[in-house]
Amino acid sequence: MNIFRNRILAVSAGAVLMVGLGAGGAVAHGKIGSDDIRHFAVQKRHLGQGSVGAWELRHAGVRSPQIGDGAVRWADLAGPVQDKMNEPGPQGAKGEKGDPGTAGADGDDGVAGLERVETTQDFSGGGYGWTDCPEGKTVIGGGYAFEEPADLENGLTVAMSAPVGQGDVFGTPPNTVEPKGPAWMIRTNKPMNVNPGEITIYALCAEVHEED
């Protein structure tokens, strides 16, 4: 440790200096005390390495104000001191309960009353087919399923599979069709020699609340 400001640290070194330099003449061993050394008269350059040991310091002889910043390094600390400093401290007291947070923004309107509706229809002649949603509900999805999937390999195609609304009209007059309300509709095209038979049409319906 590089601690050299305290007057008590310099007692034995000062005695050696004064005898060696002839200051004050011959001095008997042990006759020079800390009061005989001028404050800061003994400095770092006057002390040999290791000339002041821990046993030469009185209890509390060196205090924090007498130690420069960075003068004591981690390697200068004894093992038990390092172990003590590495120990976790006691748990602190529980903090006070925080204030309630502010209310979040309203979420988007969602759906309610989700329901799957299906109908199976004969498509022997091709054309249109659909499944209506119950009153008060909107179609939000849908699809279809063939009873005879092999017909797809014989040239049968589905030209349309989509949601439609009330008042939509499809086909060519006088052969037009009009769903009663929101529905899922499909339209098939088939070769003359292909009979698709029955197809099941699915509609996903729900109560949708729109923003004002």
Side-chain angles (χ1 to χ4, degrees):
M1 298 175 58
N2 298 324
I3 304 171
F4 303 103
R5 291 188 176 183
N6 192 280
R7 294 171 59 190
I8 303 303
L9 305 183
V11 173
S12 29
V16 174
L17 286 172
M18 292 184 68
V19 172
L21 297 174
V27 180
H29 177 69
K31 297 299 184 178
I32 297 177
S34 61
D35 294 336
D36 299 316
I37 301 175
R38 189 175 70 253
H39 194 50
F40 291 122
V42 179
Q43 301 186 16
K44 178 180 180 180
R45 66 178 183 275
H46 298 141
L47 301 178
Q49 184 175 5
S51 60
V52 179
W55 59 88
E56 296 173 292
L57 303 177
R58 73 168 185 231
H59 180 66
V62 179
R63 300 182 181 275
S64 178
Q66 297 165 313
I67 302 176
D69 290 341
V72 180
R73 299 167 300 174
W74 180 257
D76 297 324
L77 301 176
V81 177
Q82 293 180 358
D83 294 340
K84 194 68 177 177
M85 295 181 68
N86 284 328
E87 292 180 0
Q91 183 175 354
K94 183 178 179 180
E96 297 181 359
K97 184 178 180 180
D99 297 331
T102 56
D106 292 338
D108 296 333
D109 291 331
V111 299
L114 183 64
E115 178 181 2
R116 190 179 87 163
V117 184
E118 62 182 64
T119 59
T120 300
Q121 302 174 28
D122 184 5
F123 276 79
S124 299
Y128 293 90
W130 64 90
T131 295
D132 293 303
C133 284
E135 184 178 355
K137 293 188 177 182
T138 300
V139 61
I140 61 174
Y144 57 91
F146 287 93
E147 297 298 324
E148 298 293 337
D151 287 338
L152 294 175
E153 300 175 1
N154 298 325
L156 178 67
T157 60
V158 176
M160 170 187 175
S161 179
V164 296
Q166 185 176 9
D168 293 341
V169 179
F170 300 88
T172 303
N175 299 318
T176 59
V177 294
E178 181 179 353
K180 297 179 181 179
W184 192 268
M185 175 178 282
I186 69 170
R187 179 171 66 86
T188 61
N189 293 330
K190 72 178 191 69
M192 292 296 295
N193 61 340
V194 174
N195 180 4
E198 294 183 338
I199 300 177
T200 300
I201 305 170
Y202 303 92
L204 292 178
C205 309
E207 299 171 5
V208 178
H209 303 283
E210 300 180 355
E211 296 183 359
D212 296 335

